[in-house]
Structures are given as C-alpha cells and as structure tokens.
Amino acid sequence: MTVVLDYGVGNLTSVLNALRALGEATELVANPEAVRKAERLILPGVGAFAPARSRLTPFEEAIRERVAAGKPTLGICLGMQLLFERSYEHGIHEGLGLLPGEVVSLREALGAESERDKRCEIRYPHIGWTPLRDPCGRLMAGVEEGAQVYFVHSYGVLDAEACVAWAEHGVRFCAAVERENLFGAQFHPEKSGAVGLTILENFLRC
Amino acid sequence: MPSLRIIPCLDVKDGRVVKGVQFLQLRDQGDPVELGRRYWEEGADELVYLDITASHERRRTTVELAHRVAQQLFIPFTVGGGIASVEEAAEVLAQGADKVAINTAALNRPQLITDIAERFGSQAVVVAIDARRREGGAGWDVFAEGGRRRTDREAVEWAREAVERGAGELLVTSMDRDGTTQGYDTELLAAIAEAASVPLIASGGAGAPEHLVEAARSGADGLLVASIVHEGVVSIRQLKQALAEAGFPVRF
C-alpha cells in the first residue's frame, strides 16, 4: 500500500492513477497518523515553496519519524525540494532538512554561472522532456543513460550528495535523489511515460 | 533546451475522435484513449484533445474525456474545446489533465487567462489561436468559435497580450493551412515566436517530415500533428528522425 499525502497542494490524481495502473493499492491521506504508519509514502507538490512548507507543518513530525525508521518515502517535484534544508524561492524558507542541500532559481544560477548561455535563449520555467544523466541507485534501476523524463519547474537543487540522476537546462541540476529509503524526483514520473512508470515501480519495490 | 515535442491532436465529438479538414468535414476515427495510447506507444511526447461536441452535454463530455485519458495515459496532455470558466478549467485539471486550452472564451473575456493562471499556474494555461492571413498580407485575423467568427483582433498582437495576461503556451493554428498538408504557416509562426516569450505549438498543415523541420526553424517548440499521423502517412518516429537529422533535440 502506497499512500499519497494530501496537504492541499496541487493535483494528486495523476500520481494515484499511475500507482493504480501499476497494480498498487493506494489512497490519499491527510492525517499524521496515516503518514507515520504508511508502508510507502509519496509527497507530491506543485506551486510555490513557502505555502507548501506551511501546509506540511502538521505532518512534519510524522514524516521525520517514518524517514528515521527507514520507511520508503518519495518526494515528487516540489515534494522533493521540501526534503532539503532551505529554498530561495521568494525569500529564504527552511525545508524539512532531511537531505543536505538547497533549492535555488535555475535562471539565477545560469546568470551567475556564465554569460555565454544567455545567447542560448534558455526559457524558464523548465517545462518539457529532458534526458537523465548518470542514473544510478535503486530508484533509477533499469533507466538508461539519456532516458527522457518530463519536468515542470523553475527552481532546483544544483548539487546534492544524494543525487542519483542529473539533468541540464541552462545549468546542471539534480533530477533525482536517494538516501537509504528516502527518494526524490524533480521531474514527474507519473507523466514521464514508460520511463516514469519504471521509476515508480522501483519505488514500489523498496 | 528541452526536446522538441511531437503532439498528436485528437478532435473529439460525442466521445469519438474525428478530424476536420479545413474545419468542415468530419470523419470518425475511433476511441480517444485507444488512439492516444497508440500515439504514446509510437513516441508522442504529449497529446492535445479538443472536444468539439456541440450540444449542452459538452461540459460533461470534456470532463469525462479528461478523466478517461488521465487514468490510462501517463504523458502530459491538454484538453480544450469550449472551456469558458475557471470552474470548468478546475474540473478538467482535477481529473489529471496537465493543461487546458482556451480559445473563444479568452477572446470574449481575456481576464479568464489571468484567472486560470493565478489559480493553477501559467504552465496550465494554453491559449489557442485560430488565425487566417489577411487579404493583402498585413497580419493575420483571429477567428473565434472554431473558425466560424472573425474577430477584430490580429494574431501577433493577440499572442503578445495573451502572454502578458498569463498564458504559459500558445497553440497557433493556421486556418489557411489546416487540413491541406502543405506545411505550417512559417511566417505566422516566426512572427509569433518573435513577439511571445512562451513555448509555441505550431498547428495546421503538417503533411511531411520537412514541414516539421521548417516549423522548428521558425521558432516552434512543439508540433501539432493530425492527419499526417492519423492516416499513417508517416510515423512519429520518422518525424523525430527528420528533426534529429536537422539538429533538433528529440526524445526517442
């Protein structure tokens, strides 16, 4: 059983649909006890960091407990960003701090990195199919170098110890993370076709 | 840049896929989810469903369509056709659609673009523009109601305004080329790509792989295809091959 945390942020239907298509029993939950007990938890999320972070507060302790206990947990998109220490999206906001690293604007990172790329007309937000680089670990099992997945985001983690796949859009950023049974995907596996379903299936095996 | 997207467009009427030629003749081509699945398996990067059901049932059929597609297909998809309010957009997005396309309703009430973008983000709002070249060649007229009503707007100006109001993507159909298989209107695409800072989907006229290459060179980020793939003239893979050979990133 995989539960999807419903904390009032964005659309969860597609994640549920993908899990069901893989034959997984699933339900939406919105109470800390269910978060604590769930065999596997998915933390979804779209939109801005700060409001999502405050909506997550009632579940924070339960998430920490289950991660500490080694229960499989997957953050998707903003859900992955929330696992890190802080985000610079419209101010500075503390994340859950379950993984070391911070979330920054890709556009600003590009500006800081070099002038040359400005000629390339990189557009933000980064929306679309982009190749994964150096996929490794359990979450990425069976995913080939260069396999493409679907992204919708403006912010990202440029570097993280836990990184198990990279992608590039103007700058290189972390596309997926894994540390023990804590996982994150900056892209949307539920919208990434066969590759995305493989990744979700890998999570279901954890 | 992300891969150039090949986007089969499925016109749906009363729950069945049809394809209009120059907005007129309709021929039945099958079940929207089954056809969508076929295109996904062939390598489609995204799907666009336009519900052209004419009756008062349309709102219900659109939501049902989004529901069925989202349950079975796991690539991004857009739903359009008569969506006229934030509430209706919300119903479609709640079913699992990634974007809604709005056209006539946005022309009637441009604030709708902003209202949907503020609630769901610009990435969820596609403004569809049906354009026909003006006689004498100075710009393009924008048409509403599936090409039946000429408005007093010019397409490039309207594209610019739509983006300012919050459109995250533009889906631009050349009515002159739609159904002709003579190629996209690349002048129209280039003019809009120059004026608008969001991704541009080219529509209307694809008949051969080189047409997609021309549109990409004119600034399109996505290429809507209909009869060229519906009738099996070429495969999606062949279209991507042509783009790759021309130096554009694609997803195989």
Side-chain angles (χ1 to χ4, degrees):
Chain A
M1 167 72 117
T2 298
V3 306
V4 178
L5 179 59
D6 179 7
Y7 60 118
V9 184
N11 181 2
L12 316 173
T13 314
S14 298
V15 175
L16 292 172
N17 282 342
L19 293 170
R20 285 176 188 143
L22 292 169
E24 178 73 355
T26 182
E27 66 178 345
L28 285 178
V29 301
N31 72 80
E33 199 44 37
V35 167
R36 206 171 272 121
K37 284 187 179 157
E39 187 187 355
R40 276 175 298 273
L41 175 78
I42 290 183
L43 176 61
V46 294
F49 191 94
R53 179 66 185 85
S54 18
R55 283 173 176 273
L56 202 53
T57 303
F59 309 101
E60 184 173 343
E61 204 188 308
I63 294 172
R64 283 182 198 291
E65 275 178 34
R66 62 173 288 118
V67 170
K71 290 184 173 173
T73 304
L74 168 66
I76 294 177
C77 197
L78 179 60
M80 163 176 150
Q81 296 178 4
L82 287 161
L83 303 176
F84 285 87
E85 291 168 288
R86 70 192 66 82
S87 168
Y88 293 92
E89 183 175 353
H90 308 306
I92 304 177
H93 309 281
E94 295 302 310
L96 292 173
L98 294 166
L99 293 171
E102 49 188 40
V103 181
V104 301
S105 155
L106 297 184
R107 186 198 298 270
E108 284 172 25
L110 172 63
E113 195 162 272
S114 80
E115 289 297 310
R116 130 194 103 81
D117 293 301
K118 287 183 182 163
R119 284 185 281 118
C120 301
E121 290 187 27
I122 304 281
R123 279 202 279 246
Y124 296 95
H126 170 217
I127 300 179
W129 294 87
T130 302
L132 292 173
R133 299 297 174 204
D134 304 325
C136 62
R138 286 177 293 151
L139 189 63
M140 291 289 143
V143 176
E144 289 176 16
E145 169 69 23
Q148 299 201 13
V149 289
Y150 187 73
F151 290 89
V152 181
H153 65 129
S154 298
Y155 288 76
V157 178
L158 298 187
D159 197 6
E161 269 173 51
C163 190
V164 289
W166 300 94
E168 190 170 338
H169 184 71
V171 290
R172 195 173 94 132
F173 62 90
C174 191
V177 289
E178 171 175 336
R179 200 184 66 189
E180 295 163 8
N181 270 342
L182 180 59
F183 305 88
Q186 178 61 69
F187 53 90
H188 287 275
E190 75 280 12
K191 288 286 176 178
S192 294
V195 174
L197 294 178
T198 297
I199 291 166
L200 284 176
E201 216 167 7
N202 288 339
F203 174 65
L204 299 182
R205 290 208 194 94
C206 290
Chain B
M1 75 192 261
S3 296
L4 219 68
R5 292 171 275 159
I6 303 286
I7 310 170
C9 178
L10 301 155
D11 289 354
V12 181
K13 188 169 189 290
D14 302 318
R16 300 289 290 178
V17 175
V18 293
K19 170 58 191 167
V21 177
Q22 295 213 352
F23 290 77
L24 292 173
Q25 303 148 6
L26 303 174
R27 287 167 290 164
D28 190 289
Q29 290 185 325
D31 177 71
V33 177
E34 286 316 308
L35 263 172
R37 182 191 304 283
R38 202 183 96 199
Y39 290 133
W40 169 17
E41 287 167 0
E42 286 178 6
D45 298 303
E46 202 169 313
L47 297 166
V48 168
Y49 287 96
L50 295 179
D51 192 335
I52 57 169
T53 304
S55 69
H56 63 281
E57 292 285 282
R58 205 266 319 144
R59 181 165 175 164
R60 181 181 60 77
T61 61
T62 301
V63 173
E64 272 177 19
L65 176 67
H67 177 77
R68 286 190 60 216
V69 173
Q71 273 189 328
Q72 297 183 58
L73 306 183
F74 300 101
I75 53 174
F77 70 97
T78 301
V79 174
I83 292 171
S85 67
V86 178
E87 293 68 35
E88 198 177 344
E91 284 176 35
V92 169
L93 294 169
Q95 295 301 328
D98 299 274
K99 313 172 198 181
V100 290
I102 53 175
N103 188 335
T104 302
L107 288 161
N108 293 343
R109 195 170 67 84
Q111 178 64 27
L112 179 63
I113 303 170
T114 316
D115 291 347
I116 300 175
E118 281 179 353
R119 181 141 162 218
F120 300 101
S122 279
Q123 84 292 334
V125 190
V126 180
V127 171
I129 302 176
D130 293 336
R132 173 167 281 162
R133 190 179 286 268
R134 284 179 174 162
E135 282 177 34
W140 291 264
D141 284 318
V142 176
F143 280 70
E145 288 153 28
R148 288 189 296 276
R149 176 166 65 86
R150 186 195 303 264
T151 70
D152 55 9
R153 289 181 181 274
E154 196 284 321
V156 179
E157 287 307 311
W158 173 230
R160 190 178 284 128
E161 180 180 339
V163 171
E164 280 166 11
R165 288 182 179 274
E169 193 160 279
L170 300 170
L171 167 54
V172 177
T173 302
S174 162
M175 294 172 59
D176 303 296
R177 298 299 181 90
D178 194 55
T180 66
T181 69
Q182 289 170 6
Y184 299 96
D185 184 343
T186 53
E187 283 179 35
L188 171 64
L189 295 173
I192 290 184
E194 173 77 28
S197 56
V198 301
L200 169 62
I201 311 301
S203 161
E210 55 267 30
H211 295 153
L212 280 77
V213 174
E214 288 163 7
R217 290 201 175 116
S218 304
D221 301 273
L223 303 151
L224 208 75
V225 288
S227 48
I228 186 174
V229 293
H230 297 331
E231 288 163 17
V233 180
V234 294
S235 68
I236 291 173
R237 192 175 174 83
Q238 286 171 306
L239 296 174
K240 289 189 169 184
Q241 199 70 50
L243 288 163
E245 280 164 15
F248 292 100
V250 293
R251 177 183 73 104
F252 282 110

